[in-house]
Amino acid sequence: MIPMSEKKEVFPGDEVASEEEYLASEGTFAKNGMVYAAQIGTLVLDDDDCVAKVISPNPPNILKNGDVVYATIGDIRKTMATANVLAKDGTCRRIGSETYGTIHVSKISPDYTDDVSKELRKGDLVRAMVTGVKPSLQLTTKDAHLGVIRSYCGKCKSELVRKGNKQLFCPKCERNSYRKLADDYGDVVIE
């Protein structure tokens, strides 16, 4: 095996360790008692934790629990909304994992709601947090900083203006509507 002090560049499929000595960790996988590299990078054999990992110089942008993301609401049902994740907060790189997620009615607001359409609408741009990635991508907008950050009028497509804690107003149609708003609705700059 490779000593800890020696750095070695590895490629996907390279045999890097035996499962008797090291467990597969970040950037590696185990098969038939051996640990293999799953990505290009530098092999690290951690003797303290007994794990083999491959550190990539350019790791994929994979979503994990706790990540804050920006998404567009695609469909609304009574008990859930579907969302297409566009970006992960803090990075400009494309997402290299599942981007189609759901927001259950119980994960939308800290207040009780029995109908998703009372809090979100198709086309709304939301800031959400990842709460699960397996078996599918699950999101929440319960926190004050999470929720709708941009919305448009369903009738005239004008951008809605914040009028209160949960209320939005269309300056063109003079219609009111309600959403689960992020605390900075209207102040978010989208590039």
Side-chain angles (χ1 to χ4, degrees):
M1 287 300 108
I2 299 161
M4 189 72 163
S5 59
E6 186 181 323
K7 289 187 177 182
K8 180 181 177 187
E9 297 300 313
V10 294
F11 293 91
D14 285 355
E15 185 177 299
V16 297
S18 165
E19 273 193 299
E20 292 175 356
E21 297 178 75
Y22 298 96
L23 295 174
S25 184
E26 175 186 341
T28 64
F29 66 94
K31 184 175 181 183
N32 300 328
M34 297 304 296
V35 179
Y36 298 91
Q39 62 190 19
I40 295 173
T42 305
L43 174 63
V44 175
L45 297 175
D46 185 338
D47 292 328
D48 294 333
D49 293 330
C50 296
V51 295
K53 52 186 160 184
V54 175
I55 308 300
S56 175
N58 192 14
N61 190 8
I62 305 295
L63 295 177
K64 60 188 179 308
N65 287 356
D67 283 343
V68 174
V69 297
Y70 295 93
T72 303
I73 300 299
D75 192 24
I76 300 286
R77 298 198 180 118
K78 186 169 176 68
T79 60
M80 72 168 210
T82 60
N84 185 28
V85 176
L86 306 171
K88 182 165 98 174
D89 193 35
T91 182
C92 297
R93 297 186 62 211
R94 291 187 62 162
I95 297 170
S97 59
E98 180 70 40
T99 60
Y100 182 78
T102 58
I103 307 172
H104 188 268
V105 67
S106 65
K107 306 275 186 186
I108 292 174
S109 174
D111 302 327
Y112 174 77
T113 185
D114 60 351
D115 189 349
V116 174
S117 65
K118 294 178 182 175
E119 305 286 341
L120 301 171
R121 299 282 195 292
K122 188 174 181 176
D124 285 350
L125 182 61
V126 298
R127 183 186 301 117
M129 182 182 293
V130 176
T131 59
V133 292
K134 290 186 179 181
S136 62
L137 185 61
Q138 299 115 47
L139 308 170
T140 182
T141 58
K142 272 189 165 184
D143 187 69
H145 195 59
L146 304 176
V148 178
I149 58 172
R150 180 164 289 167
S151 188
Y152 297 93
C153 178
K155 187 174 181 182
C156 73
K157 305 301 181 212
S158 296
E159 188 169 343
L160 298 175
V161 178
R162 186 179 200 140
K163 192 173 178 183
N165 190 29
K166 292 182 76 168
Q167 190 172 2
L168 294 175
F169 177 74
C170 177
K172 191 172 180 182
C173 297
E174 298 184 354
R175 294 175 50 184
N176 290 314
S177 59
Y178 297 90
R179 304 281 199 288
K180 187 329 185 162
L181 301 176
D183 58 4
D184 59 351
Y185 178 92
D187 298 332
V188 180
V189 177
I190 300 167
E191 296 177 17

